[in-house]
Amino acid sequence: MTEVLTQPRPIRLKGRSFLALALTPELPFEDWLARLDDLAARSAGFFLRRPIVLDVGGLPIDRVQLRELVHQLGTRNVRIMGIEGAQPSMLGSDLPPAMADGRPASDFEAPTADEDDDAGVAEYAAPSDPAQAANAKATPSLVITQPVRSGQSLFFPEGDVTIVGSVASGAEVVAGGSIHVYGTLRGRAMAGTTGNASARIFCSKLEAELIAIDGFYKTAEDLEPGLRGKAIQIWLEGDALKAVPLG
Amino acid sequence: MGKVVVVTSGKGGVGKTTSSAALGAALAQSGDKVVVVDFDVGLRNLDLVMGAERRVVYDLVNVIQGEAKLAQALIRDKRLETLYLLAASQTRDKDNLTAEGVEKVIAALKKTFDWVICDSPAGIERGATLAMRHADVAIVVTNPEVSSVRDSDRIIGLLDSKTLKAESGERMEKHLLLTRYDPARAERGDMLKVDDVLEILSIPLLGIIPESMDVLRASNVGSPVTLADGRSAPAIAYFNAARRLKGEELPVTIPGEKRGFFGKIFGRKAA
């Protein structure tokens, strides 16, 4: 339990940022897709080899509609690497992963017909190979194999934190991503602190003093007594913290 | 080279000084040369518990400030010739303890003694951090109640970050000594269970000392409990803890638990 991390050759993890194109679809989707087709017809390969994120924030759509939209884009060779602004419940394993914390960059100029020589030439290349899509994004993570002691504070805004051991009363874990505790969570756990509402908290035994996701918190007193001592996962739905036993 | 042991807890009144004296006397009775050093400058007690309060001339601060030689400040126990005491100053404050001074004293003691037992003051301030700084082994004294357990957890965190061993990337050997364990209260559920404490602190168990009038009586006559009455329950528990500290594999028994619980008794070592 109290082994020190002494692996001679650790895996190298690097952060890297890419500029992605954010697509913001509008309702009704049929009209929006028609306009997209029009743009694609004018500029062949505009979406090719560009990382594309789908921003569905504020759209009143359900899981079926979202899946249909991603499918429709797929038939147009527009590959989505992530979805922004969707409720976690809308995303399944068959859909691209959720993304958050995007910073705005300057707008992409959509090419106009007159400056595009290849107008009308539908020259779609083969879909990019899956390996390229798989390593598109690696989220940094921190793994701790010792108990987090009272008075210790673990701060990792870059991503997920995994603790193999317990988090003591009076200790705190602050993560930009999700928090996983393979042990008893007695202290404070704050996930998604950099505005990541899709972060979650998992623990094998819940005895926490305080839990928070993206600033929404609950103290030990507000937690349902029935959840105490159980393996629990906690996530954010709207501005309510939801918790259910695991397994 | 001797081993430097810090007896620490974070919380006050859990039995650090009693345990330092009892373990020191137990180790000395096994033939090892032992010195017990009081780090509680300003609130010294070890001299009383060891019955040497009327023989203190020089103390730890005098040695650090160069006002006395180490040999002058060491007080030999009247009953055990292998047991020594280095008292703390009652009139000075903790600022008189300097990191370099403590390092020098500990290095000198290590050369002549098999065991240097540092009795840490309560708290996590200067006195406590200096007491643990040069330790090879830590004994975390804990009572089976929540505030003591949480403070011990805090101290373990400091042992793993603020000691020389931790800073040089080595692992500090830590042991849990559960003191003032009351079988009757444990039976009623008024006290944390041994397993709960071990689960929270996840360090190996050195021993469980039962709450007993013998401890108080021994303190009052100025004698470590392992010297006053070697056959009392707490004395036996301390003797066994000392044997485990020397590396012997002994099963830990929970005071008050009836015989026939052998299955529970074994495999009690945590982590």
Side-chain angles (χ1 to χ4, degrees):
Chain A
M1 186 60 93
T2 47
E3 264 173 24
V4 185
L5 278 169
T6 49
Q7 282 169 359
R9 288 198 48 162
I11 303 291
R12 291 179 70 188
L13 295 174
K14 288 179 178 173
R16 190 162 292 176
S17 70
F18 296 89
L19 188 63
L21 190 65
L23 270 181
T24 359
E26 291 158 22
L27 287 170
F29 285 150
E30 288 80 2
D31 295 359
W32 183 77
L33 284 168
R35 276 183 276 152
L36 188 77
D37 286 339
D38 180 45
L39 170 69
R42 277 186 279 120
S43 150
F46 179 66
F47 294 112
L48 221 57
R49 290 194 198 91
R50 279 209 171 111
I52 292 167
V53 172
L54 197 60
D55 181 4
V56 295
L59 284 180
I61 53 167
D62 61 20
R63 192 184 173 133
V64 177
Q65 284 172 287
L66 180 63
R67 187 177 292 131
E68 175 59 22
L69 177 63
V70 171
H71 173 71
Q72 284 293 334
L73 288 167
T75 61
R76 287 163 173 81
N77 276 331
V78 178
R79 297 175 63 93
I80 307 295
M81 61 171 277
I83 296 181
E84 197 180 5
Q87 297 292 336
S89 58
M90 281 163 63
L91 299 174
S93 56
D94 55 333
L95 284 174
M99 298 192 76
D101 303 334
R103 283 189 302 266
S106 58
D107 285 348
F108 266 77
E109 280 300 322
T112 48
D114 49 20
E115 67 179 74
D116 200 330
D117 309 329
D118 301 332
V121 185
E123 204 196 284
Y124 288 140
S128 55
D129 63 340
Q132 201 182 335
N135 62 25
K137 190 163 189 273
T139 318
S141 61
L142 179 71
V143 179
I144 302 290
T145 53
Q146 288 174 304
V148 185
R149 304 284 182 185
S150 185
Q152 290 178 335
S153 180
L154 207 63
F155 188 69
F156 190 68
E158 291 87 357
D160 290 9
V161 174
T162 306
I163 295 147
V164 188
S166 294
V167 177
S169 158
E172 66 178 14
V173 180
V174 182
S178 297
I179 297 173
H180 307 254
V181 182
Y182 295 95
T184 310
L185 173 58
R186 295 192 177 84
R188 300 161 152 239
M190 286 164 262
T193 47
T194 47
N196 182 1
S198 60
R200 296 189 178 202
I201 297 171
F202 306 83
C203 61
S204 356
K205 199 174 170 198
L206 182 77
E207 299 283 351
E209 290 163 351
L210 182 141
I211 47 157
I213 297 173
D214 190 17
F216 294 97
Y217 68 89
K218 263 190 181 179
T219 58
E221 235 177 51
D222 309 327
L223 285 169
E224 271 179 65
L227 298 173
R228 302 221 132 244
K230 295 211 175 84
I232 296 285
Q233 77 157 316
I234 300 153
W235 72 95
L236 195 61
E237 220 171 277
D239 49 11
L241 283 173
K242 300 276 177 184
V244 290
L246 282 168
Chain B
M1 277 300 237
K3 261 196 173 173
V4 182
V5 183
V6 61
V7 179
T8 185
S9 72
K11 197 177 184 315
V14 294
K16 283 182 296 297
T17 301
T18 306
S19 298
S20 299
L23 286 173
L27 287 167
Q29 283 176 73
S30 75
D32 288 354
K33 212 173 165 199
V34 182
V35 61
V36 192
V37 186
D38 194 347
F39 271 82
D40 206 348
V41 177
L43 285 170
R44 77 171 183 213
N45 286 139
L46 191 61
D47 53 331
L48 289 171
V49 173
M50 291 181 67
E53 72 277 12
R54 289 192 288 176
R55 296 197 289 141
V56 179
V57 182
Y58 295 113
D59 54 47
L60 177 62
V61 171
N62 292 137
V63 176
I64 285 175
Q65 310 252 307
E67 294 153 0
K69 291 208 179 72
L70 186 57
Q72 291 177 295
L74 286 170
I75 304 163
R76 181 196 277 191
D77 191 271
K78 280 193 168 163
R79 298 146 292 199
L80 275 172
E81 61 176 29
T82 50
L83 180 63
Y84 287 77
L85 163 73
L86 182 53
S89 169
Q90 183 72 350
T91 49
R92 316 280 186 97
D93 61 34
K94 284 176 186 135
D95 298 338
N96 287 295
L97 288 182
T98 60
E100 306 76 48
V102 170
E103 189 179 351
K104 252 191 225 163
V105 171
I106 298 280
L109 291 172
K110 259 171 99 166
K111 278 188 199 142
T112 41
F113 289 93
D114 299 314
W115 298 94
V116 181
I117 298 178
C118 305
D119 178 22
S120 169
I124 52 173
E125 264 46 78
R126 189 183 181 83
T129 48
L130 277 176
M132 68 169 72
R133 180 129 189 97
H134 305 276
D136 301 310
V137 182
I139 296 175
V140 179
V141 182
T142 306
N143 290 166
E145 46 103 14
V146 282
S147 55
S148 172
V149 171
R150 188 203 265 179
D151 290 358
S152 293
D153 195 56
R154 178 88 166 96
I155 280 290
I156 296 170
L158 293 179
L159 286 167
D160 282 334
S161 60
K162 294 282 162 69
T163 52
L164 278 182
K165 273 219 152 184
E167 282 171 13
S168 61
E170 284 176 73
R171 220 175 77 81
M172 165 75 81
E173 189 184 326
K174 299 173 289 277
H175 299 279
L176 175 68
L177 188 65
L178 204 57
T179 53
R180 310 195 68 168
Y181 185 88
D182 187 337
R185 284 181 59 210
E187 188 83 11
R188 290 198 303 270
D190 296 348
M191 228 168 49
L192 280 180
K193 290 194 192 74
V194 176
D195 286 338
D196 293 340
V197 179
L198 285 176
E199 200 266 317
I200 294 174
L201 297 179
S202 51
I203 56 172
L205 185 60
L206 187 70
I208 305 171
I209 314 298
E211 171 86 303
S212 162
M213 280 305 289
D214 296 321
V215 177
L216 194 63
R217 212 173 293 130
S219 291
N220 284 340
V221 299
S223 170
V225 68
T226 42
L227 265 179
D229 180 2
R231 278 173 306 174
S232 65
I236 291 168
Y238 275 119
F239 276 121
N240 287 336
R243 284 167 67 187
R244 285 183 206 104
L245 193 61
K246 289 180 80 168
E248 235 180 282
E249 292 274 339
L250 275 179
V252 178
T253 47
I254 297 182
E257 216 162 71
K258 306 215 166 36
R259 277 179 184 224
F261 266 97
F262 258 86
K264 281 198 95 176
I265 287 162
F266 288 109
R268 194 133 310 260
K269 233 177 176 180

